[in-house]
Amino acid sequence: MPSPHPRPPLSRRGFLIASAGAGAALGLAADPARAAAGRRPFGRYGSPEHRRTPGTLYVDPHGRGDFTTVQAAVTAATGSGRTLVLAPGVYRESVALDTTRTEATWIGASEDAHDVVIVYDNAAGTAKPGGGTYGTTGSATTTVQADGFTARWITFANDWLRADHPDISGTQAVALKVQGDRSAFHHCRFLGHQDTLYADSTALGVFARQYFAHCYAEGDVDFVFGRATAVYEGCHFRTLNRTDLAAVPYGFVFAPSTAVLNPRGYLVTRSRVTGEVPRASYKLARPWVPSSDSTARPSLVVRDSRLGPGIDAVAPYTDMSDAFPWQSQRFAEYRNLGPGAEITVPANRPQLTAEQAESATREAYLGDWTPWKER
């Protein structure tokens, strides 16, 4: 269901400025409909006095729900099939949903992801209180491990900035790490710089299926990455400009790490890649073969999508390691448009045949799970 109050994507840098003014700066009170939402923070999804279902919990940073933080609600929502309704606001916290809390649903009550923001600012190199550093996984603002998770109209953000921490070399800063099978995100936003959206699984031998529909993700280095079987349908990927680099590439949109035994990795369909960046300053993808799985064979198909001029059309792929050249991985395209999709060096742009494209669909990737039919 599209937002009743559509707005252009707010960049992560714009978000940082806006968040200084909290709710008002995010546009919650400027619109009459949003002013009404302030009086009814949970919109059409009930309230603590009139619960949508007995298993529904309400979260509001201003104290009008059952809890003021998302993590407190997650902790209370034990078992399976629980729903959290999140009132508009900025939730500055890290959140973790463990494997026991299956079939959970989180709903942004205003039905506009700009209004409900879960954000924190750890990076891989950030020092932990007990010693050591967080690492990439530990940097995640939100971690979802449970199967059957669904989120709608929520922004997941990590607002850690390199410029503020020149002493830290571990600059990975994850907004969302999702590992569960049958994890679906509808009309959500993922804001960060390096390693924004970590679409992964709980273990090497687990082939987790994930679905992202009409979502927005932005970043610079490998900002959509991991080993999940993930379908991105009707999504918008935005590359951020870099003023800290003297030469291109500024970054890489995708960095899949698909297990060699998994026949399907990332599928990007009917989506677009944009960015107010210099022409050909970004690579579309590079393969990630992590030290924990040196047998990985990353898989990415980008089809029926529009690639803006920021993507290097001559050489859209590059290596992350000389030992694992991208040409040995499973990268392919099909019927893409835009200046970043122009085929100037065919050897650098592997294309699916029409017959191969018949197997590069959401149905083939997700099997008996049909999240696009969910309401």
Side-chain angles (χ1 to χ4, degrees):
M1 176 179 175
S3 166
H5 307 285
R7 281 182 271 172
L10 180 66
S11 75
R12 179 169 172 275
R13 293 186 182 277
F15 161 75
L16 292 172
I17 296 171
S19 65
L26 287 170
L28 301 182
D31 183 311
R34 302 209 181 285
R39 293 189 293 271
R40 296 181 59 228
F42 305 109
R44 64 188 180 95
Y45 295 97
S47 68
E49 295 76 24
H50 303 284
R51 294 188 189 277
R52 191 183 191 202
T53 68
T56 300
L57 294 176
Y58 295 87
V59 189
D60 175 39
H62 305 292
R64 296 166 292 183
D66 300 303
F67 301 93
T68 58
T69 69
V70 180
Q71 186 59 61
V74 168
T75 301
T78 57
S80 183
R82 303 297 294 273
T83 297
L84 304 187
V85 180
L86 279 56
V90 176
Y91 298 87
R92 178 160 284 278
E93 56 179 306
S94 56
V95 182
L97 184 78
D98 66 33
T99 58
T100 68
R101 291 164 166 80
T102 59
E103 312 303 327
T105 299
W106 296 1
I107 299 171
S110 69
E111 301 185 0
D112 187 331
H114 291 79
D115 296 337
V116 177
V117 181
I118 304 173
V119 58
Y120 209 67
D121 60 350
N122 282 329
T126 300
K128 296 171 66 175
T133 58
Y134 283 98
T136 300
T137 290
S139 75
T141 296
T142 302
T143 302
V144 175
Q145 295 183 311
D147 291 345
F149 177 79
T150 299
R152 297 178 183 275
W153 306 296
I154 296 172
T155 291
F156 300 89
N158 189 317
D159 61 2
W160 188 90
L161 289 174
R162 298 182 186 96
D164 295 341
H165 304 276
D167 56 319
I168 292 180
S169 59
T171 57
Q172 300 89 343
V174 178
L176 172 74
K177 179 169 184 175
V178 55
Q179 299 175 281
D181 184 40
R182 294 179 294 103
S183 298
F185 297 82
H186 303 267
H187 303 284
C188 289
R189 299 193 308 155
F190 310 97
L191 310 183
H193 277 264
Q194 183 171 352
D195 292 8
T196 304
L197 174 56
Y198 196 171
D200 205 52
S201 68
T202 54
L204 176 59
V206 176
F207 301 161
R209 296 166 296 173
Q210 297 163 9
Y211 179 68
F212 300 83
H214 310 293
C215 290
Y216 171 85
E218 69 178 25
D220 46 46
V221 178
D222 306 329
F223 65 94
V224 181
F225 73 114
R227 67 172 171 239
T229 296
V231 174
Y232 305 88
E233 183 170 36
C235 292
H236 179 189
F237 304 94
R238 182 169 177 266
T239 56
L240 297 178
N241 204 2
R242 301 285 299 272
T243 59
D244 58 320
L245 295 179
V248 300
Y250 287 177
F252 319 88
V253 182
F254 302 101
S257 57
T258 321
V260 67
L261 295 180
N262 188 352
R264 298 178 178 88
Y266 285 2
L267 171 64
V268 180
T269 179
R270 295 193 293 116
S271 296
R272 59 192 171 116
V273 179
T274 71
E276 296 179 5
V277 298
R279 191 177 188 90
S281 59
Y282 269 80
K283 302 295 185 180
L284 183 61
R286 62 178 181 171
W288 178 33
V289 179
S291 58
S292 59
D293 179 20
S294 61
T295 67
R297 191 159 177 250
S299 171
L300 168 71
V301 172
V302 180
R303 62 170 300 171
D304 300 298
S305 295
R306 182 170 184 82
L307 308 181
I311 297 300
D312 182 354
V314 175
Y317 307 106
T318 190
D319 303 335
M320 188 177 295
S321 167
D322 292 342
F324 305 102
W326 74 263
Q327 293 91 341
S328 299
Q329 313 309 320
R330 295 175 284 180
F331 285 3
E333 302 176 50
Y334 185 69
R335 294 195 313 194
N336 294 319
L337 300 172
E342 183 180 356
I343 302 175
T344 57
V345 181
N348 289 345
R349 307 214 71 145
Q351 302 290 309
L352 297 178
T353 65
E355 182 179 3
Q356 290 171 331
E358 292 179 0
S359 298
T361 64
R362 64 187 184 186
E363 290 83 0
Y365 273 59
L366 302 181
D368 59 358
W369 179 47
T370 57
W372 53 89
K373 296 181 180 180
E374 297 175 2
R375 290 291 183 265

